[in-house]
Amino acid sequence: MSKWTDIAIQCLRDEAEAILALMPRIGANLDQAVEIILACKGKVIVTGVGKSGLIGAKIAATFSSTGTPSFFVNPLDVFHGDLGVIASDDVVLAISNSGQTDELLRFLPYLKSHSIPVIAITGNDSSLLAQNSDAHLFAGVDHEACPLGLAPTSSTTATLALGDAIACALIEARSFKEADFAQFHPGGSLGRRLLTTAEDVMHRANLPIISPDTPLPETLIHMSEGRLGLCVVVDNKKLLGIITDGDLRRALQINHDAFFNLQAADIMSRNPKTVPPTMRIADVENLLHKYKIHAVIVTDNRGEVKGIVDSFSTLL
């Protein structure tokens, strides 16, 4: 390995050790912080200066996307009009490695006078911010991973990990589910899978639908034109079965010359997997994986075929 790789590995090791060192420290303090947030009727206002502010913005984003209304406020802006965004039913999460950041300390009296709870994350448990908070989480590190020991590295990693730990505890406390996550991430892949239904993505035009008496050579033509690797066997608008390209190959191997005299009903698989139009794509995907199939038939409550969802339809 090059010397640069050695330095990078040492950085990762130092930051990992900084996170592991947090574990014996949190206990009751983290429980207290979580209880304060759970009791909050308003928002969690996250604040910090410099690198702490950047970490705070990420923590606020994580809270908001997992069911805890939150946003970041730069304390430098608080005294220029943004103080009004903090209401009496809010909670403030203040982040400062030193715990002595003047911009944070300056509006502590305002928070206290309005009985707004303060959760502090600092690297100094004897600091003014730590001593004047309602719950304090210690994120101190023995040394920064930076070779100079100057740039915030281990300390910011530890702080970010603490924010994630709080968020994870809140997810569990609020019984936050995948579907809830999707509501906050409608544009993401998970959101699309959980919010999109079979009806939204199903093939519905020029479906390879055949009757039970369709000769197999004609079935092969319909399957080729449908480009889905299957044919749906229907009688009086009701689904009877399905024929896949595998069914056709097996029929040809077994029957040889008699293949051309067979009809769709002779080789179709009866009772194929069906889903309602309203089934979520995430559930359709699970069904495909469970039964190791590449498509399901979408039917309405009368058993009539409305469309086909194949594995490519679920690739959102």
Side-chain angles (χ1 to χ4, degrees):
M1 288 185 292
S2 71
K3 64 177 180 179
W4 313 124
T5 302
D6 291 339
I7 292 171
I9 289 175
Q10 185 58 48
C11 172
L12 294 174
R13 182 176 292 114
D14 288 342
E15 295 196 355
E17 290 174 354
I19 292 176
L20 292 175
L22 296 173
M23 295 170 64
R25 301 174 184 168
I26 50 178
N29 290 339
L30 189 134
D31 285 345
Q32 187 179 13
V34 170
E35 293 295 338
I36 289 173
I37 295 175
L38 288 174
C40 174
K41 303 298 184 184
K43 311 169 295 296
V44 176
I45 310 296
V46 185
T47 186
V49 177
K51 303 297 190 300
S52 293
L54 295 173
I55 296 299
K58 190 275 178 187
I59 292 173
T62 300
F63 282 1
S64 290
S65 67
T66 53
T68 298
S70 178
F71 62 85
F72 176 78
V73 172
N74 189 323
L76 299 175
D77 297 329
V78 164
F79 295 100
H80 297 279
D82 284 357
L83 193 58
V85 304
I86 305 176
S88 59
D89 56 357
D90 293 337
V91 168
V92 169
L93 172 59
I95 303 171
S96 168
N97 188 43
S98 69
Q100 299 291 131
T101 304
D102 181 63
E103 292 84 359
L104 293 178
L105 298 177
R106 284 171 60 195
F107 73 95
L108 276 179
Y110 172 86
L111 300 177
K112 292 295 183 182
S113 66
H114 289 76
S115 300
I116 298 172
V118 177
I119 299 169
I121 299 179
T122 81
N124 181 359
D125 53 10
S126 61
S127 63
L128 286 174
L129 181 57
Q131 296 300 316
N132 287 277
S133 63
D134 296 277
H136 175 244
L137 296 172
F138 181 59
V141 297
D142 292 335
H143 61 276
E144 297 288 1
C146 165
L148 301 177
L150 298 175
T153 44
S154 296
S155 59
T156 49
T157 299
T159 300
L160 180 59
L162 269 179
D164 287 341
I166 296 171
C168 288
L170 290 168
I171 289 171
E172 186 69 20
R174 299 186 192 280
S175 297
F176 197 78
K177 304 299 182 186
E178 280 188 343
D180 301 314
F181 190 86
Q183 295 291 339
F184 291 97
H185 296 77
S189 61
L190 174 62
R192 290 196 294 273
R193 289 205 314 276
L194 292 174
L195 297 177
T196 304
T197 65
E199 187 175 29
D200 296 326
V201 301
M202 68 184 185
H203 299 277
R204 63 182 78 207
N206 301 316
L207 295 177
I209 294 177
I210 59 176
S211 63
D213 58 358
T214 302
L216 291 195
E218 187 178 337
T219 298
L220 182 58
I221 294 173
H222 281 284
M223 185 177 295
S224 178
E225 292 176 345
R227 299 180 181 275
L228 294 175
L230 58 82
C231 278
V232 181
V233 184
V234 171
D235 187 31
N236 292 323
K237 297 185 178 181
K238 298 298 176 59
L239 175 65
L240 293 184
I242 186 174
I243 297 175
T244 66
D245 55 0
D247 293 325
L248 281 175
R249 287 196 302 271
R250 285 186 291 272
L252 181 58
Q253 289 173 348
I254 294 171
N255 297 279
H256 300 290
D257 294 339
F259 174 83
F260 294 97
N261 297 320
L262 296 176
Q263 296 180 338
D266 296 324
I267 71 166
M268 70 182 184
S269 298
R270 300 179 184 275
N271 302 314
K273 300 302 177 187
T274 63
V275 300
T278 55
M279 178 176 279
R280 300 181 308 172
I281 280 300
D283 295 326
V284 174
E285 197 173 45
N286 291 337
L287 192 66
L288 295 175
H289 289 163
K290 179 180 178 180
Y291 292 101
K292 296 180 174 58
I293 54 179
H294 79 277
V296 290
I297 313 303
V298 181
T299 58
D300 60 18
N301 54 13
R302 296 185 300 274
E304 296 183 5
V305 175
K306 294 300 179 182
I308 298 171
V309 176
D310 63 0
S311 53
F312 291 104
S313 306
T314 65
L315 297 177
L316 301 172

